[in-house]
Amino acid sequence: MSKKKSNVWQYFYKTSGTVATCLLCNRNYSRRGRGTTCLRNHLKSKHPPEFLSLSGDIKYLDLVKSEISIGSPQHPTAQLELNLHETDSDPLDTEDISYSKRCNEKLALMLLNHSFEFIEGPGFVNFIRALQPRYTIQSRSYYEKILCEDIHRKMHQHLQQQVDLLDAISLSTSLWRGDKGEGLLSLSCSGISRDFQSHRLMLKCEALNYESTSKLACCIRDLVPSLAIEVPKEKIHCVIRDEMTALPGSLPDCSVHRLQLCVRFALQSNELLQNLSSKCKQIVDHFASSKMANDHLKFIQEIRLTRDPCTLTPYDPFQWNSAFQMMSSVFRMKDALSLYCEEYSLVQIYPDEWIEIDLCSKVMQPCEETIKIWSNPSTTTSSVIPLVAALRDSLRTDVHNFVSSVTICSFARKLLEELEMKFAHITSDIKFLMATYLDPRYKQAFFTEREEQLVANEVLLQLAGVPEDCNGQPTLKIIKVSSTSSQKNESKIDSILDSILTTGTTNTQQPNTSMGSQSQIKNLLYLYNSEPRIDRNMDPLIWWRSNIKYISLYGIVRKFLSAPAASVVSEGLFRKSAHLYSDMRAGLSPESASKMLLMKSNFSFSNSDIN
């Protein structure tokens, strides 16, 4: 029978196996026999009110016990035993090592999302003391050691197991720098398991606290070679580099950063649009620097215009579209700003400039929507060719429709030129062509005859050296996925893309190739080409998992659909980890911070292993 806990422990906590500390006067008392008699005597002599309260509880429980013993033997509590004087059972007893270890690990894991200063604050200390008085909060170095040695080792083993399960992976490198010289360099991987589940893992993080260009270049160069996780070269399908980690003299592989470069160059070449942006910044800065002006603008919106108050978006040099977001916020408050200008002096925006701000927002909307789609970790390279085609159509329409505005028409034309130039490679890069073709949402909808032939030849070439994917293949179930195409589509880029796919025809022509010995594979491709494309809102991996008749293609499907469209993980992780950089400034080593960043990004994997 387990030992019952004495109510005397509401006034004491155990500092060791034989010593207890009074919570009322903080004095230590010996418990050589591990009983509570000396503790009761202390309450009786030093804290009489508490002792009387304790004694009253005992008398009441003794009375209940006597009543139970007199009552019917069939009473459900007749066998209740109340031995108030037996030795207590303490969950934090020195013999219960596992319980104490779990508490330490859970508190250490909490520090992945909170600064070390958090556990040292009086609020948290008092909360723990009330929740579990006998738990002792350890030093920073104690929890740092648990994280960076014990938990990090378990997570490393789990990551290695995950990588070993993937037949092909795509690596992504990214770098993000803050305004204080701090930054984050990361290496992540993505892959598709044999049951067609998408996996994304962070393999390496480096917390940066220096601005040396040469030292940073060395870190970028050694990012993959110094990887602790073993990744066979034959497993690596491709490496997606962002703008900061791209090879010297090369454009980034990341589609997000390529499109951002297009927008940046188009804005820099348009002096009139830059001047308009400067005007909007002066207006935003005026209200940001004056609370009185900002309150009056709010009054105009609420009282004179009877509208919900809006806010102006400040300019952020680290945000790629900050200038356009700022101008859009100014346009939304056009009426309120016009009324404000009637009473106070403010930078004047003329009627034709208001029109240009509105048109600029319409030109930028598809670009912003595309970058948002590509930035989603689940978006693969299969969406690059279709979305670039949709952007191209959108910009061509803008150049034609906005010809009356020289400023916006020239901006749209320059943006189109940059798009054509910086994404010209995707129609000849086989990894983009294959990913698009193997996505049942797109297939050959965006291909020319030359590109169709390139894909057909590559599929035959890939399958020539790939064994049948039957061994170890789990039982597959047919999964029905409901389409959401009937819902209202408010995205401009989605509408354009849907229009292209609707008007396009499905090419069911059998691949023309001289490799006659592979007629079975050609027939399989013909069957795949003949099937209608699935809805764009459906998951292509679920479609492949449901169509086991194409099992011969599974190997290359998992390979080419593993590549992400972008490499932007460092920015999000950096913004969520400000507390770790604060701890670095307080003395946390960059090595420990790097390990904690790695654990934070892979928390869903490491946590399951720890428990």
Side-chain angles (χ1 to χ4, degrees):
M1 181 180 294
S2 61
K3 297 177 180 179
K4 294 184 172 55
K5 186 176 179 181
S6 171
N7 55 359
V8 74
W9 285 109
Q10 62 185 300
Y11 301 112
F12 292 88
Y13 71 92
K14 187 182 297 183
T15 55
S16 70
T18 58
V19 178
T21 302
C22 178
L23 295 173
L24 301 173
C25 60
N26 290 326
R27 293 184 181 179
N28 296 329
Y29 287 90
S30 174
R31 300 174 55 246
R32 290 192 180 91
R34 297 206 175 190
T36 59
T37 303
C38 64
L39 306 183
R40 294 181 186 281
N41 291 337
H42 170 71
L43 289 177
K44 184 176 181 180
S45 61
K46 299 296 183 182
H47 310 290
E50 286 74 12
F51 177 74
L52 289 175
S53 173
L54 192 64
S55 301
D57 291 342
I58 294 172
K59 291 177 181 179
Y60 172 74
L61 292 173
D62 284 338
L63 178 61
V64 173
K65 181 180 178 183
S66 63
E67 291 179 354
I68 291 173
S69 63
I70 296 172
S72 171
Q74 285 76 29
H75 194 280
T77 58
Q79 303 300 320
L80 180 63
E81 296 183 6
L82 293 173
N83 188 351
L84 300 175
H85 301 287
E86 66 180 4
T87 308
D88 345 301
S89 174
D90 186 359
L92 286 177
D93 198 341
T94 53
E95 297 177 358
D96 191 3
I97 300 175
S98 60
Y99 180 84
S100 179
K101 184 179 179 181
R102 287 198 305 273
C103 290
N104 292 333
E105 285 183 340
K106 292 299 183 183
L107 184 53
L109 284 170
M110 190 181 71
L111 293 172
L112 296 178
N113 296 308
H114 299 279
S115 172
F116 279 95
E117 294 180 353
F118 178 76
I119 63 171
E120 298 172 345
F124 183 78
V125 172
N126 292 334
F127 173 73
I128 292 297
R129 182 171 293 176
L131 187 66
Q132 179 51 273
R134 290 171 297 286
Y135 181 78
T136 303
I137 298 178
Q138 306 293 336
S139 63
R140 293 188 179 197
S141 59
Y142 181 82
Y143 296 110
E144 181 183 345
K145 182 178 180 182
I146 292 177
L147 282 170
C148 299
E149 292 183 10
D150 301 339
I151 300 178
H152 181 266
R153 182 182 66 256
K154 294 178 183 179
M155 187 210 63
H156 181 276
Q157 294 171 352
H158 188 83
L159 287 177
Q160 185 67 66
Q161 293 172 359
Q162 293 292 312
V163 171
D164 291 342
L165 292 174
L166 301 175
D167 295 329
I169 63 172
S170 297
L171 300 178
S172 303
T173 63
S174 64
L175 171 65
W176 182 259
R177 302 298 298 269
D179 56 352
K180 298 179 181 179
E182 299 164 332
L184 172 61
L185 180 64
S186 69
L187 172 65
S188 59
C189 83
S190 56
I192 301 171
S193 58
R194 291 206 162 201
D195 59 351
F196 279 93
Q197 296 293 325
S198 179
H199 294 267
R200 289 174 290 276
L201 309 170
M202 182 69 76
L203 300 182
K204 188 175 182 179
C205 287
E206 285 196 26
L208 309 176
N209 60 350
Y210 49 82
E211 297 184 1
S212 172
T213 305
S214 58
K215 190 175 181 180
L216 180 59
C218 291
C219 289
I220 296 173
R221 183 192 61 203
D222 299 335
L223 189 60
V224 176
S226 62
L227 183 63
I229 305 291
E230 294 183 8
V231 181
K233 288 185 178 180
E234 58 271 15
K235 274 193 175 186
I236 301 176
H237 167 51
C238 64
V239 180
I240 308 295
R241 300 177 179 86
D242 71 348
E243 183 180 0
M244 298 290 287
T245 59
L247 299 175
S250 303
L251 288 172
D253 307 290
C254 172
S255 299
V256 165
H257 287 141
R258 284 209 181 209
L259 184 52
Q260 289 176 359
L261 284 174
C262 296
V263 174
R264 188 189 311 163
F265 291 161
L267 178 60
Q268 290 174 352
S269 65
N270 196 311
E271 186 177 353
L272 295 176
L273 194 56
Q274 289 185 69
N275 293 337
L276 188 54
S277 175
S278 298
K279 271 191 174 185
C280 292
K281 188 176 184 301
Q282 292 180 49
I283 293 174
V284 172
D285 291 345
H286 170 76
F287 290 102
S289 61
S290 173
K291 186 178 184 304
M292 183 179 296
N294 192 59
D295 290 342
H296 188 67
L297 186 64
K298 184 179 179 181
F299 170 82
I300 292 175
Q301 294 179 80
E302 292 181 327
I303 306 303
R304 297 182 63 179
L305 297 176
T306 62
R307 299 175 183 172
D308 293 333
C310 299
T311 57
L312 293 168
T313 303
Y315 177 74
D316 181 3
F318 292 95
Q319 191 70 25
W320 74 275
N321 61 340
S322 180
F324 302 101
Q325 291 292 320
M326 177 185 64
M327 288 193 290
S328 295
S329 71
V330 170
F331 182 80
R332 287 194 299 268
M333 299 179 67
K334 172 184 175 182
D335 295 337
L337 290 171
S338 299
L339 292 174
Y340 182 90
C341 289
E342 293 177 359
E343 304 176 35
Y344 302 96
S345 175
L346 190 65
V347 178
Q348 185 71 28
I349 295 183
Y350 300 103
D352 58 332
E353 292 178 325
W354 284 117
I355 295 175
E356 289 175 349
I357 293 175
D358 184 30
L359 295 180
C360 182
S361 298
K362 293 178 179 178
V363 171
M364 280 299 300
Q365 182 184 347
C367 295
E368 293 173 333
E369 292 170 351
T370 298
I371 285 183
K372 184 177 180 180
I373 294 172
W374 282 342
S375 298
N376 189 320
S378 63
T379 304
T380 69
T381 50
S382 66
S383 294
V384 175
I385 289 177
L387 285 172
V388 168
L391 273 177
R392 187 186 300 115
D393 283 7
S394 175
L395 290 171
R396 287 171 177 170
T397 302
D398 292 340
V399 170
H400 179 266
N401 292 343
F402 302 154
V403 67
S404 58
S405 172
V406 177
T407 301
I408 302 304
C409 185
S410 61
F411 173 68
R413 185 180 293 107
K414 180 61 177 178
L415 187 53
L416 178 60
E417 291 175 2
E418 292 292 334
L419 184 75
E420 297 278 14
M421 180 173 59
K422 290 183 171 54
F423 285 90
H425 68 293
I426 62 176
T427 57
S428 57
D429 191 326
I430 199 63
K431 70 173 180 289
F432 289 98
L433 293 171
M434 285 288 288
T436 307
Y437 173 69
L438 294 173
D439 191 326
R441 298 173 298 177
Y442 307 123
K443 295 186 179 181
Q444 300 163 306
F446 300 90
F447 291 170
T448 62
E449 290 186 8
R450 181 189 69 85
E451 292 160 0
E452 290 176 7
Q453 188 63 47
L454 285 174
V455 168
N457 292 337
E458 181 66 22
V459 171
L460 294 172
L461 183 64
Q462 288 280 335
L463 292 180
V466 176
E468 289 292 330
D469 192 5
C470 298
N471 297 330
Q473 181 66 32
T475 303
L476 302 178
K477 298 180 179 179
I478 302 299
I479 301 176
K480 295 183 179 180
V481 182
S482 59
S483 171
T484 57
S485 59
S486 60
Q487 298 177 357
K488 184 178 180 181
N489 193 350
E490 297 181 353
S491 169
K492 185 176 179 180
I493 195 70
D494 284 340
S495 300
I496 297 171
L497 193 53
D498 288 337
S499 177
I500 295 175
L501 290 171
T502 301
T503 56
T505 58
T506 301
N507 189 341
T508 60
Q509 191 174 14
Q510 190 168 357
N512 181 19
T513 177
S514 59
M515 304 177 72
S517 61
Q518 301 186 15
S519 59
Q520 186 177 359
I521 297 176
K522 291 191 289 181
N523 291 336
L524 190 65
L525 295 183
Y526 178 73
L527 178 62
Y528 173 68
N529 295 340
S530 302
E531 292 206 37
R533 292 187 297 268
I534 64 174
D535 189 88
R536 209 168 47 80
N537 295 293
M538 296 177 67
D539 187 344
L541 296 186
I542 293 179
W543 186 89
W544 280 109
R545 185 172 62 189
S546 304
N547 286 270
I548 198 170
K549 59 189 173 188
Y550 297 114
I551 194 170
S552 299
L553 302 176
Y554 278 7
I556 62 172
V557 169
R558 289 194 294 264
K559 176 182 177 180
F560 285 97
L561 293 187
S562 69
S567 180
V568 292
V569 292
S570 288
E571 178 182 355
L573 183 57
F574 179 85
R575 294 184 184 277
K576 295 176 182 177
S577 307
H579 62 282
L580 283 176
Y581 290 89
S582 176
D583 288 338
M584 281 178 61
R585 292 190 289 270
L588 181 66
S589 68
E591 293 76 15
S592 294
S594 298
K595 290 181 178 180
M596 293 174 69
L597 284 165
L598 183 65
M599 285 181 281
K600 181 181 175 70
S601 61
N602 287 303
F603 184 78
S604 60
F605 299 98
S606 61
N607 189 42
S608 60
D609 192 42
I610 290 166
N611 291 335

